[in-house]
């Protein structure tokens, strides 16, 4: 039975994206794919149990068999590290992870093991990524952000931790590579890693669809109140406009994928933003959403007009600057309901990660009688469809 540990050189490099893409790609080609995130830092309460958010995502988005408890055996709550330092109990964690791994991997042709952050994350309670990969005897696919110098430097820094634990790095994947530099990065990163004895197994281009939040994600992250426009929650946001200009100037910036952030008493801007929808010009010219700040609701007449449009309108108590800063710093995470994004992740991994080589390398190291149907060849630098 094959197993692969997916780690990253730092937080938010694309570890979850690669893990999800691998699961969905392999699920189409083998009988069963297992998944586990042995140590999770961000969890949800599911039926009274602490379950890592990524485990919830994988089970729902990939239709995985097995229990969530087994997919997320160790979720780290607030105060866990302090308590562990005073009362170390590593064997409890070891037993929990091994027991869960046996459950999720039972009958699986391949099990994807998702790490947490860079190689050293979890060291404080003796369960760093390198320790867990060693415990499960799994080679590592190391994900880093696009570029040449910085990712190679960070890959080598992480490699030192895996080397010390006696864990093999199967290969590396570069993520979020800008299209204008794609061919250059692919060529030189491949040569640079080869000099260090490492394989480049994938170069994934930057994709705006994955990097742009939906209005629903913004609603959740700013903890706002949805006043109207629930049917537009899946609208994508790629630009933010702050309501600090005259309406006639703002009209030049309004359009598809734009989010307006403005105090609720700026009825002039609100009316300008929704004008094209009201007069029936069409959705292409409508903003994706409006966030009203300072807890101020528009005049009832304006609200009645807003409710006639499909523009999502969110009310928050915070000031405009704080809300704009929070949304600008929003780290876009995949949601099980993001069907377009999930399909795009699958497309990117299938076309820009060398699945054949990953399977072959695992086969050489771990063997197994399972069969896999022919995998699609790695695509060239062709831009994936939007």
């Amino acid at each position: 039975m094959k197993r692969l540990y997916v780690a990253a050189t730092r937080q938010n490099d694309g570890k979850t994206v690669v893990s999800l893409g691998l699961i969905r790609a392999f699920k189409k080609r083998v009988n069963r794919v297992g998944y586990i995130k042995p140590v999770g830092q961000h969890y949800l309460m599911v039926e009274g149990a602490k379950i890592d958010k990524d485990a919830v995502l994988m089970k729902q988005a990939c239709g995985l068999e097995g229990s969530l408890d087994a997919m997320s055996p160790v979720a780290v709550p607030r105060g866990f590290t302090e308590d562990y330092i005073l009362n170390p109990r590593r064997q409890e964690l070891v037993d929990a992870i091994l027991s869960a791994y046996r459950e999720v991997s039972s009958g699986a042709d391949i099990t994807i093991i998702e790490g947490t952050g860079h190689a050293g994350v979890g060291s404080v309670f003796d369960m760093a990524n390198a320790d867990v990969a060693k415990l499960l005897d799994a080679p590592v696919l190391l994900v880093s952000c696009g570029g040449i110098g910085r990712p190679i430097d960070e890959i080598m820094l992480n490699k030192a931790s895996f080397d010390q634990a006696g864990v093999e790095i199967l290969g590396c994947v570069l993520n979020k590579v800008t299209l204008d530099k794609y061919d250059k990065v692919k060529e030189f990163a491949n040569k640079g890693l080869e000099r260090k004895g490492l394989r480049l197994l994938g170069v994934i281009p930057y994709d705006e669809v994955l990097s742009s939040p939906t209005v629903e994600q913004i609603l959740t992250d700013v903890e706002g109140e949805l006043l109207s426009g629930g049917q537009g929650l899946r609208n994508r946001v790629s630009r933010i406009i702050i309501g600090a200009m005259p309406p006639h100037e703002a009209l030049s910036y309004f359009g598809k994928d734009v989010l307006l952030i403005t105090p609720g008493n700026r009825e002039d801007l609100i009316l300008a933003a929704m004008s094209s929808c009201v007069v029936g010009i069409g959705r292409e010219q409508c903003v994706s959403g409006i966030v009203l700040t300072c807890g101020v609701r528009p005049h009832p007449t304006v609200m009645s007009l807003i409710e006639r449009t499909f523009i999502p309108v969110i009310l928050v108590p915070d000031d405009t600057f704080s809300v704009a800063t929070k949304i600008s710093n929003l780290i876009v995470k995949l949601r099980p309901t993001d069907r377009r994004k999930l399909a795009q992740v699958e497309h990117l991994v299938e076309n820009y990660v060398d699945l054949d080589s990953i399977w072959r390398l695992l086969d050489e190291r771990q063997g197994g009688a399972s069969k896999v149907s022919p995998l699609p060849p790695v695509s060239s630098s062709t831009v994936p469809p939007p």
Side-chain angles (χ1 to χ4, degrees):
M1 190 273 296
K2 296 172 178 60
R3 53 203 171 276
L4 180 65
Y5 196 100
V6 182
T9 55
R10 64 166 75 183
Q11 190 177 19
N12 304 315
D13 274 356
K15 168 176 46 62
T16 299
V17 165
V18 172
S19 297
L20 189 145
L22 289 172
I23 292 171
R24 288 174 68 113
F26 282 128
K27 269 200 74 179
K28 296 192 297 187
R29 298 168 175 87
V30 299
N31 292 326
R32 184 170 183 268
V33 177
Y35 167 85
I36 183 173
K37 186 164 185 179
V39 178
Q41 293 181 301
H42 304 286
Y43 63 85
L44 302 170
M45 294 302 298
V46 181
E47 297 181 355
K50 299 181 182 69
I51 305 297
D52 185 84
K53 290 181 178 180
D54 290 335
V56 175
L57 168 68
M58 297 298 176
K59 183 170 178 62
Q60 295 180 4
C62 301
L64 295 175
E65 301 175 27
S67 70
L68 278 170
D69 286 342
M71 294 178 191
S72 177
V74 178
V76 181
R78 185 181 297 274
F80 179 89
T81 53
E82 294 93 329
D83 181 60
Y84 187 91
I85 289 171
L86 295 175
N87 181 32
R89 51 193 185 281
R90 186 176 191 272
Q91 193 57 46
E92 290 183 17
L93 303 181
V94 168
D95 292 343
I97 291 172
L98 288 176
S99 175
Y101 176 74
R102 283 192 291 268
E103 180 178 334
V104 300
S105 64
S106 177
D109 298 284
I110 183 170
T111 299
I112 301 299
I113 307 162
E114 185 180 355
T116 304
H118 59 72
V121 171
S123 298
V124 65
F125 48 86
D126 304 319
M127 277 293 150
N129 281 288
D131 298 320
V132 179
K134 178 65 175 179
L135 177 67
L136 299 178
D137 190 25
V140 171
L141 184 67
L142 193 53
V143 182
S144 187
C145 268
I148 300 172
R150 193 191 79 180
I152 293 178
D153 290 344
E154 292 182 353
I155 285 168
M156 295 310 297
L157 182 63
N158 279 260
K159 183 177 182 295
S161 294
F162 288 115
D163 285 348
Q164 186 176 19
V167 175
E168 177 191 6
I169 294 182
L170 193 76
C172 307
V173 171
L174 299 188
N175 187 35
K176 303 178 185 177
V177 178
T178 57
L179 296 173
D180 60 325
K181 298 180 180 178
Y182 186 93
D183 292 326
K184 179 180 178 180
V185 168
K186 185 175 181 179
E187 177 186 358
F188 283 93
N190 183 55
K191 292 178 179 178
L193 288 169
E194 195 174 58
R195 289 183 60 247
K196 301 295 184 180
L198 294 171
R199 304 176 188 86
L200 182 61
L201 293 174
V203 181
I204 301 175
Y206 172 82
D207 189 273
E208 191 176 85
V209 171
L210 301 184
S211 302
S212 301
T214 63
V215 176
E216 184 176 19
Q217 291 170 328
I218 291 172
L219 172 65
T220 300
D221 282 38
V222 301
E223 299 178 345
E225 175 189 352
L226 182 66
L227 299 184
S228 64
Q231 65 269 41
L233 286 176
R234 293 189 181 180
N235 293 348
R236 192 158 53 93
V237 174
S238 59
R239 291 187 294 144
I240 296 173
I241 302 298
I242 307 298
M245 62 181 77
H248 68 276
E249 292 183 9
L251 285 170
S252 301
Y253 298 96
F254 291 152
K256 188 179 179 182
D257 298 340
V258 169
L259 179 75
L260 171 65
I261 305 175
T262 183
N265 58 5
R266 285 296 307 269
E267 280 96 349
D268 54 347
L269 277 173
I270 297 169
L271 289 170
M274 57 184 285
S275 60
S276 60
C277 297
V278 173
V279 301
I281 292 177
R283 297 195 176 203
E284 288 301 312
Q285 298 302 317
C286 287
V287 296
S288 288
I290 301 173
V291 176
L292 305 177
T293 61
C294 303
V296 178
R297 294 172 180 262
H299 188 278
T301 302
V302 176
M303 274 304 306
S304 66
L305 290 173
I306 291 175
E307 289 167 0
R308 292 171 55 189
T309 75
F310 39 77
I311 301 174
V313 179
I314 300 168
L315 180 68
V316 294
D318 304 309
D319 65 271
T320 301
F321 178 78
S322 299
V323 173
T325 301
K326 187 171 186 178
I327 294 175
S328 295
N329 294 332
L330 174 64
I331 298 170
V332 182
K333 294 291 186 181
L334 293 169
R335 265 72 163 182
T337 55
D338 294 335
R339 294 182 180 178
R340 183 184 180 191
K341 290 186 178 181
L342 297 177
Q344 188 69 349
V345 166
E346 184 178 325
H347 167 84
L348 290 171
V349 170
E350 283 197 328
N351 286 275
Y352 294 93
V353 175
D354 193 346
L355 300 172
D356 282 314
S357 290
I358 290 173
W359 190 269
R360 175 178 52 79
L361 290 167
L362 291 176
D363 212 34
E364 291 173 358
R365 286 153 182 75
Q366 300 167 355
S370 59
K371 301 292 184 182
V372 63
S373 58
L375 302 176
V378 179
S379 172
S380 65
S381 59
T382 304
V383 182

